[in-house]
Amino acid sequence: MRVLVAEDDDTLGAVLAQGLRSRGYVVDLVADGESALSYARCYEYAVAVLDWLMPRVSGIDVVRQLRRTGARTPVLMISGKGAPEDRVAGLDAGADDYLVKPFAFDELLARLRALQRRPPDVLPPRLVVGDLEYDPASREVTFGGRRPALTSTELSILETLMRFSPAVAERRQIAQHVWTDEVDTFSSNTIDVHLARLRAKLSGSRVRIQTVRGVGYRIVAITVSG
C-alpha cells in the first residue's frame, strides 16, 4: 500500500523510505509540510508518517489541516519532542499515534500495522471476499486451506482490489496504490500482466477478478452450485 513519509532529515527519511519499500510499501518521501499537504491532496494513503518539526508547514499543522478537510488517513507523528504535553498536543491535533525519536524501525513498522488495522469501519483487520482472506498485518492470503505464493506486487494489487470490493478499482487507483511511478505503469500493460498472473494463482478459489473495460478491475465472490 502507499505510504506518505514527511521527514526533513535527509538521512532518516532515506532510511525510513528504503526500509518501508523493502517491506512492500510504496513510499512517497517529502521533506516539508507543504509538500506533504500537496501529496495528500493527490493520493489516497494507507497511512502517513509525519515529523513534527518540518520547514514551511509543521507536521502538527499538516495534521490539523488534513482533519479540517475531512481526511481520515491514519497518521503516525514522529518527533524528538517527548514530553507528555507534546504527545497530548500531537494526538489532540488529530494524529492517531505518536512515536518519539530515536526509535527502532521494527517498532515503527508495528505501529504502522496497528494503524492499518483501525478504525474497524475503515480498515478491517482481515479482508474477506468469498473464501479468500487477506491479513494486512502478516500479508498472508488463504483460501480453501491453501496459501498461494504471491509476490509483493501481487499482494498489493490484491489488497487494493479487496479494499474496493465489490466496487471497481480503477486502473489509475491500482497504479497509485502499488507503484511509485504510477504514470508509466498506468500507460503500459504492466497492470494487465500482473493481473493475469494473480488470476492464475487464485485459480480454485471462490472469487473472480473481473475486467471492467475502460475502467479497471473488481474482485467478487462467486457462488458454487451443487
Side-chain angles (χ1 to χ4, degrees):
M1 301 303 288
R2 199 175 196 102
V3 175
L4 175 64
V5 176
E7 170 58 64
D8 66 328
D9 182 318
D10 292 341
T11 300
L12 177 57
V15 169
L16 293 178
Q18 180 179 358
L20 290 170
R21 286 168 182 149
S22 71
R23 266 67 171 191
Y25 290 93
V26 174
V27 180
D28 288 328
L29 175 63
V30 299
D32 63 83
E34 189 172 302
S35 297
L37 286 169
S38 178
Y39 270 72
R41 286 191 291 268
C42 295
Y43 298 104
E44 298 176 14
Y45 290 101
V47 66
V49 180
L50 305 178
D51 183 31
W52 181 324
L53 298 178
M54 291 189 294
R56 304 173 78 176
V57 180
S58 69
I60 199 167
D61 284 332
V62 170
V63 176
R64 290 190 180 113
Q65 291 191 45
L66 289 175
R67 298 309 182 225
R68 279 199 296 267
T69 61
R72 303 181 68 180
T73 303
V75 172
L76 170 61
M77 181 164 287
I78 57 176
S79 175
K81 298 162 68 71
E85 57 268 26
D86 296 322
R87 297 172 185 263
V88 170
L91 296 171
D92 282 348
D96 299 274
D97 199 359
Y98 193 102
L99 185 59
V100 179
K101 301 177 184 177
F103 51 80
F105 182 70
D106 284 346
E107 182 179 1
L108 180 136
L109 282 176
R111 288 173 182 260
L112 292 186
R113 289 194 295 267
L115 288 177
Q116 286 181 269
R117 293 195 296 269
R118 72 176 195 245
D121 60 329
V122 178
L123 298 174
R126 297 180 69 86
L127 302 174
V128 180
V129 178
D131 66 340
L132 185 68
E133 293 191 16
Y134 174 69
D135 185 343
S138 65
R139 291 176 68 81
E140 181 179 80
V141 175
T142 60
F143 66 85
R146 296 166 53 187
R147 289 180 171 80
L150 304 183
T151 66
S152 177
T153 298
E154 291 163 353
L155 282 170
S156 296
I157 293 174
L158 180 62
E159 181 175 355
T160 302
L161 293 176
M162 294 182 76
R163 288 197 185 282
F164 275 87
S165 182
V168 177
E170 298 178 5
R171 290 175 60 86
R172 187 176 299 279
Q173 291 171 320
I174 295 172
Q176 288 177 352
H177 280 79
V178 179
W179 284 275
T180 301
D181 190 357
E182 79 280 358
V183 175
D184 288 345
T185 302
F186 175 73
S187 60
S188 70
N189 69 338
T190 301
I191 295 177
D192 308 281
V193 170
H194 284 284
L195 257 298
R197 293 172 181 167
L198 181 59
R199 281 189 174 112
K201 292 183 179 181
L202 296 183
S203 176
S205 68
R206 296 181 181 178
V207 300
R208 177 178 297 134
I209 298 176
Q210 299 175 335
T211 301
V212 181
R213 291 191 178 279
V215 182
Y217 300 87
R218 66 180 165 208
I219 187 168
V220 296
I222 57 177
T223 302
V224 179
S225 59

